[in-house]
C-alpha cells in the first residue's frame, strides 16, 4: 500500500529539520576550528560566526513555531561529511603552514552548503505563504553570504602567507610546485 504523496510543505519541513541539525553541528565545528586556527583574524571569524550560528539556531526554532511544528533535527549527511572532512584535514595539516588555509577552505564548504539550503528554504517559505519565516531565513542567508565573503578575504591572505612561509623553508628558498 502506497503512502501519502509528499508535497512542498513536507519538503520544506524535512529540509528545515536537516538544516537545524546542520546549524547545530556548524556551531560545534566553528568552535573547534577557532581553537585550531593559528591566524588571529581567522580565529576571530570562527568565534564570531559560532555566536552568529547560535542565533541562527534560535531563528530556525522560530521558523518551526511559525509553521506549527516541533523543532526537531534530522541527521544531515552532508554536514556529517563536511565535518568529517574537516577532522581529517586537521589531522593531515594541523601543524603545517597550510593548516589555516585548509581550515578556511573547510569552513567555506560548510558556508556554501548552508547558503544553498537557506536559499531553497527561503524560496519555499515564500511559496508556501510563510512570509515571516521567509524573512527570518533570508536574514540567516545574508549572514552566511557575508561570512563566506569574509572567509574568502581571509583565505587570500592566509594562502599568500602560507605560500611565502613554505617557499622560504624549501630548498634554498626556491619556490617549488
Amino acid at each position: 500500500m502506497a503512502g501519502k504523496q509528499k508535497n512542498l510543505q513536507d519538503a520544506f519541513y524535512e529540509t528545515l529539520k536537516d538544516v537545524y541539525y546542520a546549524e547545530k553541528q556548524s556551531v560545534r565545528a566553528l568552535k573547534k576550528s577557532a581553537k585550531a586556527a593559528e591566524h588571529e583574524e581567522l580565529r576571530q571569524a570562527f568565534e564570531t560566526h559560532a555566536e552568529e550560528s547560535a542565533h541562527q539556531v534560535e531563528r530556525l526554532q522560530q521558523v518551526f513555531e511559525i509553521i506549527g511544528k516541533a523543532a526537531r533535527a534530522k541527521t544531515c549527511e552532508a554536514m556529517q561529511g563536511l565535518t568529517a572532512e574537516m577532522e581529517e584535514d586537521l589531522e593531515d595539516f594541523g601543524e603545517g603552514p597550510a593548516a589555516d588555509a585548509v581550515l578556511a577552505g573547510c569552513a567555506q564548504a560548510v558556508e556554501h552548503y548552508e547558503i544553498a539550503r537557506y536559499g531553497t528554504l527561503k524560496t519555499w517559505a515564500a511559496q508556501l505563504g510563510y512570509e515571516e519565516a521567509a524573512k527570518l531565513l533570508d536574514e540567516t542567508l545574508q549572514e552566511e553570504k557575508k561570512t563566506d565573503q569574509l572567509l574568502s578575504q581571509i583565505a587570500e591572505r592566509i594562502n599568500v602567507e602560507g605560500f611565502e612561509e613554505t617557499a622560504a623553508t624549501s630548498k634554498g628558498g626556491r619556490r617549488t610546485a
Side-chain angles (χ1 to χ4, degrees):
M1 182 170 153
K4 177 187 163 226
Q5 179 90 20
K6 294 202 175 215
N7 58 28
L8 186 60
Q9 178 70 38
D10 298 318
F12 180 76
Y13 181 53
E14 291 302 313
T15 304
L16 190 61
K17 292 189 302 186
D18 183 82
V19 169
Y20 188 54
Y21 176 94
E23 202 65 68
K24 287 178 162 187
Q25 290 297 110
S26 177
V27 171
R28 287 187 204 107
L30 285 162
K31 288 179 180 180
K32 186 168 191 166
S33 295
K35 287 179 183 175
E38 293 290 327
H39 195 276
E40 185 57 37
E41 190 178 9
L42 183 61
R43 179 187 348 258
Q44 184 61 49
F46 287 151
E47 289 172 354
T48 299
H49 195 54
E51 291 173 20
E52 194 171 62
S53 292
H55 292 296
Q56 292 169 353
V57 169
E58 292 170 5
R59 217 177 278 138
L60 286 170
Q61 291 167 341
Q62 291 176 305
V63 173
F64 280 108
E65 287 177 26
I66 289 168
I67 67 169
K69 301 272 189 178
R72 288 188 30 225
K74 176 179 90 175
T75 301
C76 175
E77 300 293 333
M79 185 57 78
Q80 283 190 320
L82 291 168
T83 55
E85 185 174 310
M86 182 196 78
E87 294 284 340
E88 186 177 309
D89 286 349
L90 277 172
E91 268 185 44
D92 292 345
F93 296 94
E95 299 299 320
D100 280 350
V102 170
L103 267 179
C106 289
Q108 283 195 278
V110 169
E111 294 308 309
H112 292 181
Y113 174 75
E114 290 177 340
I115 288 167
R117 285 312 210 180
Y118 281 112
T120 297
L121 283 170
K122 172 191 157 188
T123 299
W124 288 351
Q127 290 171 338
L128 292 166
Y130 299 128
E131 293 305 320
E132 187 59 30
K135 287 178 189 174
L136 291 168
L137 293 163
D138 185 57
E139 191 175 338
T140 298
L141 176 62
Q142 298 313 313
E143 290 171 351
E144 300 295 3
K145 287 179 178 181
K146 183 180 169 189
T147 297
D148 179 54
Q149 188 174 42
L150 175 63
L151 287 170
S152 289
Q153 293 166 358
I154 294 170
E156 286 176 14
R157 288 189 290 279
I158 291 171
N159 292 339
V160 168
E161 292 166 7
F163 179 76
E164 289 170 352
E165 184 178 323
T166 301
T169 59
S170 68
K171 290 183 190 175
R174 291 187 351 208
R175 296 179 184 197
T176 57

